[in-house]
Amino acid sequence: MTRILKIDSESLKEAQKIITSGGVVAFPTETVYGLGANAFDTSAVNSIFEIKGRPNDNPLIVHVHRDYDISELVYDIPDYAVTLAKKFLPGPLTMVYKSRGKVSSAVSCGMDTLAIRIPSHEGAQKFLKYLDLPIAAPSANISKHVSPTSARHVYADLNGKIDLILDGGPCYGGIESTVLDCTSDIPVILRSGLISQEMIKETVGECGEYVFKEGGIARSPGMKYRHYSPRCKSVLYEYAEIEKAVALYDAEREKGTKVCILCDDKTAEFLGSRRFLSLGKTPEDMAANLYSKLRECENDTELLIAIAPDMRGGIMVGVMNRLSKACGNSNEN
Ligand code: TXA
Ligand code: MG
């Protein structure tokens, strides 16, 4: 069955054995846990898609250690990307470049680009350095379920399906990395995250944001899927709709529904004795707590009523993107 081991020389040796013989290993990063395989090994990469039940048109990110020479894997790295890498890497920023086609074509689902991430988590760096291979890794959850921010979360989704989870404690970032397209004249955000559009603009002057439209062509294929969803019914209200949200809670309680509100500390003050889970106070708290709170409530809740925090911009863009994909009504975007 699946073993959970702390990261040390023994468990790293074990991880290496599994990866070099074509298997997969879950490992911690500062954002969420990843499910890693050797990016050069097509059958190992394919098994990631099978284990997760992931659609086969949604490409994977390749993870490398801080000293890895990425010019072996990609080319045409623009000056702005060098500047951004100096400032933000290692860290929660994934950069998309033109691929040299060295890794298996299964990683990018046949596209001619490759997404590269250098995580800052100490355990991730140890794992990547020990292997000294590019590791293709999506989040280590069953496709469309809430992403895992602890070894326990990975175990809950993948027990029996993988051999080893390297345990590096809870992820302190909490939402997936910002995905940035670096194949054009200016950087374009494909998926928002902990490195915000404002931070990128401050560093290199310009930064676009790609907005996926229903029926349109997804430049980042992951954008078009419903994601991050708890296994209970859920609904999302704007901050201005607190009264409506509370009225729904009261009506459902009356009917005997097990209902819970997900909100931030500020909103929690208005809830009296109603049952709630708070994401905390700051945008950083909310990112760090979002997935563990979504997982916490799915177990004993029939209806989750999420109320958006009264904050916008910066990393709240990423937090709201995940919250609306988890609890919103739309099946797309
Ligand atoms: O923080 C993270 O990025 C985590 C940890 C494990 O590193 N990984 C993660 O992987 O979130 P995943 O597979 O759940 O999401 C990868 C995202 C998807 O939206 C995918 O479409 C996009 O990155 N992506 C991957 N390769 C791409 C490419 N070549 N061009 C555009 N988008 C790409
Ligand atoms: Mg994912």
Side-chain angles (χ1 to χ4, degrees), residues 31 54 58-59 63 111 113 115 117 138-139 176-177 191 220 222:
T31 58
R54 182 181 176 101
N58 192 8
H63 297 65
M111 302 199 308
T113 54
R117 165 147 152 71
S139 49
E176 296 84 349
S177 62
R191 177 178 73 183
S220 190

Side-chain angles (χ1 to χ4, degrees), residues 296-324:
E296 199 178 322
C297 63
E298 70 180 358
N299 296 321
D300 58 356
T301 300
E302 290 164 332
L303 175 65
L304 176 69
I305 302 174
I307 305 176
D310 186 21
M311 280 186 244
R312 288 291 177 270
I315 70 171
M316 284 309 292
V317 176
V319 171
M320 283 310 301
N321 166 274
R322 304 312 191 280
L323 187 60
S324 49

